[in-house]
Amino acid sequence: MSVHNTDKPSGWRADTGPAPVRLLLSGVEGETSALVGAKAAGFPLELLIADPASTIDPSMLAGASAAVVQVNCDDPQSVARFEELARGDVPLIAAAYEPPMAFVRALVRAGAHDVVPLPLDPKELETALDPIRRISAAKGPRARAGHQKIITIIKSEGGVGATSLLGQTAARFAGVERLAGRETCLIDLDVQFGDAAFQLGLQPNLSLSDLLAAGKRLDGELLRSIAVQHSSGLAVVAAPSEILPLESMTSDQVLSIIDLATAEYGTVFVDLPMNWTNWSLSLLARSDLVLMVTELRVSSLSRARRQLDLLDSQDMRNVDVRIVLNRTEKGLFKAVSTDDAERVLRKPVTFTIANDHEIMTQAIDRGVTIGEVRRKSALGKDIEIMQAGIAAALGLER
C-alpha cells in the first residue's frame, strides 16, 4: 500500500494492473497497518492522509477503482464532504468509528456502497470491496447501463395485491423501456412466499438461491443466465422455490446483487417480504423510489401508517415514498375516501388503481399481461399511468 499526501497533486501512472482503491483516512492505526503493501479484493491499496473534515478535491479520486473515505459521525462538515464526493463516478465506501445503524443507513442513502468500522480490518475491507470487484468484472465487453435506478415495492399488509400489481407494472414499464433501448429487471426478494415469476407465466429453473450460492463467482453473465426473460423484455429473478429464513441473507449479499443488477440492466424493480429485516431496510435506504401499496380500508391504512412511522424512526424520512391505493372503487358513497387515506398517512396519494378482480385474476391464471386479457380497461389505464409516472419520477426520457 503506497502512501500519499493530499496536499500534492497526483501525476499520471502507467497501467500496470487494476486501478487502485484509495483510502482517505486521518492516519494508520490498529490492523490497518497490515494493509501496507497489500491488496484487497484484487485491488492495490493507496493511503492518502486527509483530515476527516478537510476539503477533498474530487480529482483525488480520478482513476481509482473505488475509495474508502473516513467520516465523523458527529461532524456535519465531514458528512457533507462524503455526500459531495458520492455524486461522482467512483464507488465510495464510508469508514467511521462505531457508526450507529441510523448513521449507516443515512450514508448508504447518500451513496455509500458500504460502511466499514474503523480501525480498518483487512477482512472487512475485503468483504466491502468484493461487490465492487464483481461489478467491475461484470462490465466485460458489455458497457454498464447508463442509468441505474432501484424501485422497491412494500405493502401495508399481506393480500393487498402488491406482487400482482408489481409484475404487471414492471412488464409494461419494460416494454416501453425496450423501445428506448434500455433494459429492466425485476428481483423477487420475498424469499418465503414470492411468486412474481409464476404470476407472469414464467417457469424458471434457477432463482435467487443460485445467486446467493454463487458467492464470489457472482457476475453479470451469471445474473443474466439466472434471470428469465418475459415477452415484454422484462428480466425476472425468481424467488427461491424453497422457503428460506429471512435472516439467511445479509445486507452485503442483497446489496451486492442489487448493485450488480443495476449495472447490468439499469432499472431494477424489487419486491420485498412483508416482515422487516436489516437487509430490507438497508435496501430501502438505497432505493431511488419506494412504492407503498395499500387499500382504502381502515385496517390497511393503519398498517401502512405504522410502516411509514418505522421508516421515520430509522431516520429515513428522505426516502422518496409514493402511496399507491390498489383496488379502489369508484362512487360517491365509499366508506373511506382518498382524502381520508391522505389524512391517515400524512402523505399525498400518488397512484390509484381500479379494482377489476376478474381481469387481474385471468391475467394471473393465464400468466399474461392484462392487456392480453382485455385490450382496454380502467385497470390497464391506471397501470399505464403508474408506469409512466415512475419513469417521470426517475427522470427517464422517452
Side-chain angles (χ1 to χ4, degrees), residues 356-376:
D356 197 325
H357 179 75
E358 180 182 355
I359 291 180
M360 184 64 85
T361 300
Q362 286 188 45
I364 294 171
D365 289 346
R366 291 167 51 186
V368 298
T369 61
I370 59 172
E372 296 174 70
V373 175
R374 187 174 301 168
R375 188 167 171 230
K376 292 184 179 181

Side-chain angles (χ1 to χ4, degrees), residues 208-229:
L208 178 69
S209 293
D210 298 283
L211 291 179
L212 296 171
K216 293 186 177 182
R217 296 182 294 106
L218 179 63
D219 59 20
E221 293 298 329
L222 179 62
L223 174 63
R224 286 180 177 271
S225 70
I226 289 173
V228 61
Q229 198 80 3

Side-chain angles (χ1 to χ4, degrees), residues 170 174 183-187 223 227 233-237 261 265-270:
E183 295 183 284
T184 308
C185 180
L186 187 160
I187 299 180
L223 174 63
L234 178 68
V236 180
V237 175
Y265 294 101
T267 302
V268 177
F269 287 82
V270 182

